[in-house]
PDB file of all heavy atoms in Angstrom:
ATOM      1  N   ALA A1283      90.745 113.637 108.244  1.00 98.00           N
ATOM      2  CA  ALA A1283      91.057 114.184 106.919  1.00 98.00           C
ATOM      3  C   ALA A1283      92.312 115.040 106.952  1.00 98.00           C
ATOM      4  O   ALA A1283      93.115 115.038 106.006  1.00 98.00           O
ATOM      5  CB  ALA A1283      89.872 114.990 106.398  1.00 98.00           C
ATOM      6  N   ALA A1287      95.465 114.240 104.637  1.00 98.00           N
ATOM      7  CA  ALA A1287      95.906 115.279 103.702  1.00 98.00           C
ATOM      8  C   ALA A1287      97.394 115.556 103.854  1.00 98.00           C
ATOM      9  O   ALA A1287      98.101 115.796 102.857  1.00 98.00           O
ATOM     10  CB  ALA A1287      95.097 116.556 103.914  1.00 98.00           C
ATOM     11  N   LEU A1304      93.145 106.853  97.568  1.00 98.00           N
ATOM     12  CA  LEU A1304      92.870 106.598  98.977  1.00 98.00           C
ATOM     13  C   LEU A1304      91.819 105.494  99.097  1.00 98.00           C
ATOM     14  O   LEU A1304      90.658 105.691  98.754  1.00 98.00           O
ATOM     15  CB  LEU A1304      92.363 107.873  99.655  1.00 98.00           C
ATOM     16  CG  LEU A1304      93.287 109.099  99.555  1.00 98.00           C
ATOM     17  CD1 LEU A1304      92.617 110.318 100.195  1.00 98.00           C
ATOM     18  CD2 LEU A1304      94.637 108.838 100.196  1.00 98.00           C
ATOM     19  N   ILE A1314      84.424 112.300 103.485  1.00 97.00           N
ATOM     20  CA  ILE A1314      85.816 112.461 103.898  1.00 97.00           C
ATOM     21  C   ILE A1314      86.746 112.792 102.732  1.00 97.00           C
ATOM     22  O   ILE A1314      87.722 113.537 102.890  1.00 97.00           O
ATOM     23  CB  ILE A1314      86.318 111.230 104.676  1.00 97.00           C
ATOM     24  CG1 ILE A1314      87.624 111.588 105.392  1.00 97.00           C
ATOM     25  CG2 ILE A1314      86.458 110.024 103.776  1.00 97.00           C
ATOM     26  CD1 ILE A1314      88.040 110.614 106.451  1.00 97.00           C
ATOM     27  N   LEU A1315      86.478 112.272 101.538  1.00 98.00           N
ATOM     28  CA  LEU A1315      87.349 112.592 100.405  1.00 98.00           C
ATOM     29  C   LEU A1315      87.369 114.090 100.154  1.00 98.00           C
ATOM     30  O   LEU A1315      88.448 114.686  99.957  1.00 98.00           O
ATOM     31  CB  LEU A1315      86.894 111.849  99.146  1.00 98.00           C
ATOM     32  CG  LEU A1315      87.721 112.141  97.891  1.00 98.00           C
ATOM     33  CD1 LEU A1315      89.162 111.682  98.061  1.00 98.00           C
ATOM     34  CD2 LEU A1315      87.089 111.484  96.662  1.00 98.00           C
ATOM     35  N   GLU A1316      86.208 114.700 100.155  1.00 98.00           N
ATOM     36  CA  GLU A1316      86.128 116.146  99.956  1.00 98.00           C
ATOM     37  C   GLU A1316      86.910 116.898 101.033  1.00 98.00           C
ATOM     38  O   GLU A1316      87.596 117.894 100.737  1.00 98.00           O
ATOM     39  CB  GLU A1316      84.665 116.574  99.978  1.00 98.00           C
ATOM     40  CG  GLU A1316      84.431 118.064  99.822  1.00 98.00           C
ATOM     41  CD  GLU A1316      82.967 118.429  99.973  1.00 98.00           C
ATOM     42  OE1 GLU A1316      82.104 117.565  99.699  1.00 98.00           O
ATOM     43  OE2 GLU A1316      82.687 119.578 100.359  1.00 98.00           O
ATOM     44  N   LYS A1317      86.846 116.427 102.263  1.00 98.00           N
ATOM     45  CA  LYS A1317      87.577 117.078 103.355  1.00 98.00           C
ATOM     46  C   LYS A1317      89.078 116.930 103.154  1.00 98.00           C
ATOM     47  O   LYS A1317      89.851 117.878 103.385  1.00 98.00           O
ATOM     48  CB  LYS A1317      87.154 116.471 104.699  1.00 98.00           C
ATOM     49  CG  LYS A1317      85.700 116.704 105.071  1.00 98.00           C
ATOM     50  CD  LYS A1317      85.368 116.027 106.404  1.00 98.00           C
ATOM     51  CE  LYS A1317      83.876 116.059 106.696  1.00 98.00           C
ATOM     52  NZ  LYS A1317      83.366 117.419 106.905  1.00 98.00           N
ATOM     53  N   VAL A1318      89.519 115.744 102.750  1.00 98.00           N
ATOM     54  CA  VAL A1318      90.950 115.538 102.496  1.00 98.00           C
ATOM     55  C   VAL A1318      91.432 116.471 101.389  1.00 98.00           C
ATOM     56  O   VAL A1318      92.489 117.109 101.514  1.00 98.00           O
ATOM     57  CB  VAL A1318      91.229 114.067 102.115  1.00 98.00           C
ATOM     58  CG1 VAL A1318      92.677 113.902 101.653  1.00 98.00           C
ATOM     59  CG2 VAL A1318      90.950 113.140 103.288  1.00 98.00           C
ATOM     60  N   GLN A1319      90.673 116.550 100.305  1.00 98.00           N
ATOM     61  CA  GLN A1319      91.066 117.411  99.198  1.00 98.00           C
ATOM     62  C   GLN A1319      91.184 118.869  99.648  1.00 98.00           C
ATOM     63  O   GLN A1319      92.132 119.573  99.269  1.00 98.00           O
ATOM     64  CB  GLN A1319      90.055 117.284  98.057  1.00 98.00           C
ATOM     65  CG  GLN A1319      90.065 115.926  97.377  1.00 98.00           C
ATOM     66  CD  GLN A1319      88.902 115.756  96.412  1.00 98.00           C
ATOM     67  OE1 GLN A1319      87.857 116.415  96.554  1.00 98.00           O
ATOM     68  NE2 GLN A1319      89.052 114.870  95.443  1.00 98.00           N
ATOM     69  N   ARG A1320      90.233 119.315 100.458  1.00 98.00           N
ATOM     70  CA  ARG A1320      90.248 120.708 100.930  1.00 98.00           C
ATOM     71  C   ARG A1320      91.467 120.980 101.813  1.00 98.00           C
ATOM     72  O   ARG A1320      92.166 121.978 101.631  1.00 98.00           O
ATOM     73  CB  ARG A1320      88.949 121.013 101.681  1.00 98.00           C
ATOM     74  CG  ARG A1320      88.938 122.381 102.363  1.00 98.00           C
ATOM     75  CD  ARG A1320      87.557 122.764 102.856  1.00 98.00           C
ATOM     76  NE  ARG A1320      86.890 121.687 103.570  1.00 98.00           N
ATOM     77  CZ  ARG A1320      87.132 121.367 104.852  1.00 98.00           C
ATOM     78  NH1 ARG A1320      88.045 122.053 105.532  1.00 98.00           N
ATOM     79  NH2 ARG A1320      86.457 120.406 105.430  1.00 98.00           N
ATOM     80  N   HIS A1321      91.717 120.082 102.764  1.00 98.00           N
ATOM     81  CA  HIS A1321      92.885 120.264 103.620  1.00 98.00           C
ATOM     82  C   HIS A1321      94.180 120.196 102.810  1.00 98.00           C
ATOM     83  O   HIS A1321      95.135 120.939 103.082  1.00 98.00           O
ATOM     84  CB  HIS A1321      92.912 119.200 104.721  1.00 98.00           C
ATOM     85  CG  HIS A1321      91.975 119.476 105.854  1.00 98.00           C
ATOM     86  ND1 HIS A1321      92.103 120.571 106.681  1.00 98.00           N
ATOM     87  CD2 HIS A1321      90.896 118.789 106.315  1.00 98.00           C
ATOM     88  CE1 HIS A1321      91.158 120.554 107.600  1.00 98.00           C
ATOM     89  NE2 HIS A1321      90.405 119.484 107.395  1.00 98.00           N
ATOM     90  N   PHE A1322      94.207 119.320 101.828  1.00 98.00           N
ATOM     91  CA  PHE A1322      95.405 119.193 100.985  1.00 98.00           C
ATOM     92  C   PHE A1322      95.720 120.511 100.282  1.00 98.00           C
ATOM     93  O   PHE A1322      96.873 120.974 100.281  1.00 98.00           O
ATOM     94  CB  PHE A1322      95.194 118.074  99.961  1.00 98.00           C
ATOM     95  CG  PHE A1322      96.301 117.965  98.937  1.00 98.00           C
ATOM     96  CD1 PHE A1322      97.419 117.191  99.193  1.00 98.00           C
ATOM     97  CD2 PHE A1322      96.214 118.626  97.724  1.00 98.00           C
ATOM     98  CE1 PHE A1322      98.444 117.083  98.254  1.00 98.00           C
ATOM     99  CE2 PHE A1322      97.224 118.532  96.780  1.00 98.00           C
ATOM    100  CZ  PHE A1322      98.337 117.762  97.052  1.00 98.00           C
ATOM    101  N   ILE A1323      94.721 121.105  99.679  1.00 98.00           N
ATOM    102  CA  ILE A1323      94.925 122.366  98.968  1.00 98.00           C
ATOM    103  C   ILE A1323      95.422 123.452  99.925  1.00 98.00           C
ATOM    104  O   ILE A1323      96.341 124.218  99.595  1.00 98.00           O
ATOM    105  CB  ILE A1323      93.620 122.796  98.270  1.00 98.00           C
ATOM    106  CG1 ILE A1323      93.303 121.833  97.123  1.00 98.00           C
ATOM    107  CG2 ILE A1323      93.727 124.225  97.738  1.00 98.00           C
ATOM    108  CD1 ILE A1323      91.934 122.025  96.520  1.00 98.00           C
ATOM    109  N   GLU A1324      94.838 123.498 101.115  1.00 98.00           N
ATOM    110  CA  GLU A1324      95.249 124.504 102.093  1.00 98.00           C
ATOM    111  C   GLU A1324      96.693 124.276 102.555  1.00 98.00           C
ATOM    112  O   GLU A1324      97.478 125.223 102.669  1.00 98.00           O
ATOM    113  CB  GLU A1324      94.303 124.475 103.295  1.00 98.00           C
ATOM    114  CG  GLU A1324      92.889 124.943 102.972  1.00 98.00           C
ATOM    115  CD  GLU A1324      91.920 124.700 104.123  1.00 98.00           C
ATOM    116  OE1 GLU A1324      92.337 124.071 105.137  1.00 98.00           O
ATOM    117  OE2 GLU A1324      90.750 125.121 104.014  1.00 98.00           O
ATOM    118  N   ILE A1336      92.173 118.722  91.325  1.00 98.00           N
ATOM    119  CA  ILE A1336      92.197 118.001  92.588  1.00 98.00           C
ATOM    120  C   ILE A1336      91.269 116.794  92.587  1.00 98.00           C
ATOM    121  O   ILE A1336      91.583 115.753  93.193  1.00 98.00           O
ATOM    122  CB  ILE A1336      91.848 118.950  93.767  1.00 98.00           C
ATOM    123  CG1 ILE A1336      92.078 118.257  95.114  1.00 98.00           C
ATOM    124  CG2 ILE A1336      90.429 119.484  93.650  1.00 98.00           C
ATOM    125  CD1 ILE A1336      93.517 117.916  95.404  1.00 98.00           C
ATOM    126  N   ASP A1337      90.154 116.854  91.874  1.00 98.00           N
ATOM    127  CA  ASP A1337      89.218 115.727  91.845  1.00 98.00           C
ATOM    128  C   ASP A1337      89.798 114.528  91.099  1.00 98.00           C
ATOM    129  O   ASP A1337      89.359 113.391  91.315  1.00 98.00           O
ATOM    130  CB  ASP A1337      87.891 116.139  91.206  1.00 98.00           C
ATOM    131  CG  ASP A1337      87.082 117.054  92.101  1.00 98.00           C
ATOM    132  OD1 ASP A1337      87.272 117.008  93.328  1.00 98.00           O
ATOM    133  OD2 ASP A1337      86.253 117.827  91.572  1.00 98.00           O
ATOM    134  N   ASP A1338      90.755 114.775  90.217  1.00 98.00           N
ATOM    135  CA  ASP A1338      91.416 113.695  89.493  1.00 98.00           C
ATOM    136  C   ASP A1338      92.751 113.327  90.119  1.00 98.00           C
ATOM    137  O   ASP A1338      93.333 112.293  89.766  1.00 98.00           O
ATOM    138  CB  ASP A1338      91.644 114.089  88.028  1.00 98.00           C
ATOM    139  CG  ASP A1338      90.346 114.225  87.254  1.00 98.00           C
ATOM    140  OD1 ASP A1338      89.447 113.382  87.450  1.00 98.00           O
ATOM    141  OD2 ASP A1338      90.218 115.181  86.463  1.00 98.00           O
ATOM    142  N   TYR A1339      93.239 114.178  91.008  1.00 98.00           N
ATOM    143  CA  TYR A1339      94.554 113.935  91.603  1.00 98.00           C
ATOM    144  C   TYR A1339      94.455 113.106  92.888  1.00 98.00           C
ATOM    145  O   TYR A1339      95.225 112.167  93.085  1.00 98.00           O
ATOM    146  CB  TYR A1339      95.247 115.263  91.902  1.00 98.00           C
ATOM    147  CG  TYR A1339      96.648 115.100  92.453  1.00 98.00           C
ATOM    148  CD1 TYR A1339      97.660 114.545  91.660  1.00 98.00           C
ATOM    149  CD2 TYR A1339      96.954 115.482  93.752  1.00 98.00           C
ATOM    150  CE1 TYR A1339      98.938 114.378  92.157  1.00 98.00           C
ATOM    151  CE2 TYR A1339      98.239 115.322  94.259  1.00 98.00           C
ATOM    152  CZ  TYR A1339      99.224 114.771  93.461  1.00 98.00           C
ATOM    153  OH  TYR A1339     100.500 114.592  93.961  1.00 98.00           O
ATOM    154  N   ILE A1340      93.529 113.448  93.762  1.00 98.00           N
ATOM    155  CA  ILE A1340      93.284 112.659  94.977  1.00 98.00           C
ATOM    156  C   ILE A1340      91.924 112.013  94.825  1.00 98.00           C
ATOM    157  O   ILE A1340      90.890 112.689  94.822  1.00 98.00           O
ATOM    158  CB  ILE A1340      93.338 113.534  96.244  1.00 98.00           C
ATOM    159  CG1 ILE A1340      94.724 114.146  96.405  1.00 98.00           C
ATOM    160  CG2 ILE A1340      92.973 112.715  97.478  1.00 98.00           C
ATOM    161  CD1 ILE A1340      94.885 115.025  97.633  1.00 98.00           C
ATOM    162  N   THR A1341      91.915 110.692  94.687  1.00 98.00           N
ATOM    163  CA  THR A1341      90.688 109.983  94.322  1.00 98.00           C
ATOM    164  C   THR A1341      90.497 108.730  95.178  1.00 98.00           C
ATOM    165  O   THR A1341      91.415 108.271  95.860  1.00 98.00           O
ATOM    166  CB  THR A1341      90.714 109.540  92.849  1.00 98.00           C
ATOM    167  OG1 THR A1341      91.652 108.456  92.695  1.00 98.00           O
ATOM    168  CG2 THR A1341      91.108 110.687  91.918  1.00 98.00           C
TER     169      THR A1341
END
Side-chain angles (χ1 to χ4, degrees):
L1304 304 176
I1314 195 165
L1315 179 63
E1316 178 185 333
K1317 295 178 189 294
V1318 172
Q1319 292 171 336
R1320 173 169 46 80
H1321 282 296
F1322 173 88
I1323 291 170
E1324 292 171 355
I1336 189 65
D1337 288 335
D1338 293 319
Y1339 183 65
I1340 298 180
T1341 72

